[in-house]
């Protein structure tokens, strides 16, 4: 197995985070099991990473084992009728292309989300009131003792930007879509993508929305109403275009982002009595 030293800065879209000594991309399930055994023997914590598009990683790095399931064996995709089966390392845009090319509708809301299937299932990624969990038939997982099983959607516990899959390593999943017209699928994708391009801010490294939307409305709207657009903590800044985005403007550190998250949460609580909850995963 090819163990590498790496840095969390390289592995996350925020481009933040320190060094790691044990990074590995297993070639198959047997190598994944070996990596888990290594971590167990060395008493190291295991972190699984996908595209790193929803993680704030610590500046000091991590001494644990970081696993990314991106090798060919975890990136297979196949379509049979209206069922799409894919590995956890498949990027959402590839999943969506496969659906569109097979005339399958229902996944269009995923367009532009820069994650992989594994991370998207953990987060129940989505938009416009929908989450990827709604498309799931079943999920292939490995537990941290190396046992593989298939679990049904009903026990995955999908909820708004969350699931109960955290205790597993996602190997892949099967999704059920509906037959649709390719032209209508393309038009819906275009509509969602246009909206995303207009509203989001990809000018600098980020992890998408920092906070979940509270029941009272959009988190961005409350942050904006507090006058926090453009607010800075060293290299981290609240986007001028989308108040729920924090950008890594100038070599931001995790501690700068955390300070800004704290400041924004306090201000929104003070002004509106609303407790914002982070959507992103903060690794420690
Ligand atoms: C510009 C931008 C726009 C975004 N827009 C949206 C949006 O519209 N909607 C939305 O929901 N999200 C959005 N996101 C956030 C993010 O893209 C999604 O949450 C995405 O699904 C995360 O997938 P990932 O592969 O990057 O996961 P990662 O960020 O790598 O990981 C997320 C979590 O999943 C775990 N994980 C990852 N892979 C596995 C696996 N195989 N097994 C077990 N655990 C795993 C990690 O440990 C971590 O806890 C956006 C992000 C960016 C940067």
């Amino acid at each position: 197995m090819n163990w590498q030293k790496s840095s969390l800065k390289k592995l996350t879209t925020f481009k933040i985070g320190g060094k790691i000594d044990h990074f590995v991309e297993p070639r198959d399930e047997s190598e994944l099991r070996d990596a888990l055994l290594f971590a167990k023997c060395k008493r190291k914590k295991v972190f699984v990473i996908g595209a790193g598009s929803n993680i704030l990683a610590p500046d000091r790095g991590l001494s644990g084992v970081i696993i990314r399931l991106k090798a060919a064996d975890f990136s297979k995709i196949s379509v049979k009728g209206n069922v799409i089966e894919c590995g956890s390392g498949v990027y959402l845009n590839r999943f969506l292309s496969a659906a569109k090319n097979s005339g399958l509708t229902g996944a269009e809301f995923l367009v532009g989300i820069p994650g992989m299937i594994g991370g998207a299932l953990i987060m129940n990624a989505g938009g416009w009131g929908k989450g990827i969990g709604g498309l799931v038939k079943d999920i292939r997982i490995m537990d941290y003792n190396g046992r593989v099983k298939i679990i049904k959607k009903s026990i995955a516990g999908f909820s708004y930007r969350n699931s109960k899959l955290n205790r597993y390593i996602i190997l892949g999943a099967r999704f059920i879509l509906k037959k649709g017209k390719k032209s209508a699928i393309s038009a819906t994708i275009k509509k969602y993508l246009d909206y995303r391009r207009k509203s989001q801010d990809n000018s600098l490294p980020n992890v998408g929305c920092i906070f979940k939307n509270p029941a009272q409305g959009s988190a961005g709207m409350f942050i904006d109403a507090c006058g926090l657009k453009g607010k800075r903590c060293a290299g981290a800044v609240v986007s001028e275009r989308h108040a729920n985005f924090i950008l890594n403007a100038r070599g931001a550190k995790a501690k700068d982002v955390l300070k800004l998250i704290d400041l924004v949460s306090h201000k929104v609580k003070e002004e509106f009595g609303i407790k914002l909850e982070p959507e992103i995963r903060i690794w420690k």
Side-chain angles (χ1 to χ4, degrees):
M1 203 159 15
N2 185 18
W3 289 96
Q4 296 168 47
K5 288 184 192 293
S6 187
S7 98
L8 291 156
K9 201 178 269 192
K10 277 194 200 157
L11 300 176
T12 58
T13 59
F14 230 157
K15 305 289 170 223
I16 289 176
K19 291 187 175 152
I20 47 178
D21 285 336
H22 297 98
F23 172 62
V24 71
E25 292 190 319
R27 277 175 298 191
D28 52 29
E29 288 177 13
S30 157
E31 282 201 358
L32 172 58
R33 232 175 249 116
D34 290 346
L36 295 177
L37 197 61
F38 170 84
K40 205 173 198 174
C41 293
K42 300 278 177 193
R43 293 169 187 263
K44 289 191 176 294
K45 193 170 167 187
V46 173
F47 296 83
V48 185
I49 195 164
S53 65
N54 216 22
I55 293 170
L56 175 62
D59 297 319
R60 62 175 161 71
L62 290 168
S63 63
V65 166
I66 320 301
I67 298 175
R68 187 166 65 181
L69 303 183
K70 207 184 167 187
D73 239 41
F74 298 104
S75 305
K76 291 178 184 158
I77 185 160
S78 66
V79 184
K80 279 190 200 118
N82 66 336
V83 176
I84 304 186
E85 180 166 7
C86 46
S88 63
V90 170
Y91 280 90
L92 293 176
N93 60 4
R94 209 175 133 222
F95 170 65
L96 185 53
S97 293
K100 187 181 84 176
N101 295 336
S102 310
L104 294 175
T105 184
E108 294 88 326
F109 65 90
L110 293 172
V111 68
I113 302 179
M116 294 177 182
I117 290 291
L121 287 168
I122 295 282
M123 301 303 307
N124 192 17
W128 292 277
K130 294 174 186 162
I132 192 170
L135 305 172
V136 165
K137 180 170 193 265
D138 49 28
I139 305 163
R140 187 176 159 82
I141 58 97
M142 185 181 282
D143 68 19
Y144 282 82
N145 292 314
R147 283 185 296 254
V148 171
K149 63 176 175 176
I150 309 276
I151 59 170
K152 286 197 183 118
K153 173 188 184 165
S154 54
I155 55 167
F158 290 114
S159 58
Y160 170 53
R161 298 298 164 269
N162 209 355
S163 71
K164 290 188 175 142
L165 295 166
N166 271 321
R167 59 186 187 278
Y168 302 123
I169 297 174
I170 312 290
L171 301 173
R174 287 192 293 178
F175 301 91
I176 303 180
L177 281 82
K178 291 191 177 121
K179 284 279 171 205
K181 272 193 174 165
K182 282 189 192 176
S183 56
I185 298 168
S186 297
T188 311
I189 289 175
K190 186 178 178 312
K191 183 184 79 182
Y192 285 144
L193 203 53
D194 285 349
Y195 180 83
R196 189 176 276 280
R197 284 187 180 137
K198 264 187 232 145
S199 59
Q200 295 195 342
D201 188 348
N202 265 319
S203 59
L204 289 163
N206 67 81
V207 279
C209 288
I210 295 286
F211 299 100
K212 291 184 185 179
N213 289 324
Q216 295 88 336
S218 107
M221 187 185 75
F222 292 112
I223 299 167
D224 191 9
C226 291
L228 290 169
K229 277 186 171 173
K231 184 78 191 165
R232 271 179 187 274
C233 278
V237 59
V238 175
S239 161
E240 293 278 1
R241 193 190 303 180
H242 192 314
N244 199 7
F245 271 45
I246 289 179
L247 307 175
N248 177 356
R250 260 190 286 115
K253 300 277 183 205
K255 68 173 187 294
D256 306 329
V257 177
L258 290 171
K259 245 191 228 167
L260 203 48
I261 287 177
D262 216 39
L263 188 152
V264 168
S265 313
H266 271 94
K267 197 82 183 144
V268 171
K269 179 86 176 109
E270 201 176 87
E271 294 274 328
F272 298 102
I274 293 169
K275 191 174 181 298
L276 291 180
E277 191 192 328
E279 175 178 322
I280 60 166
R281 298 293 158 113
I282 299 169
W283 280 7
K284 289 179 180 147

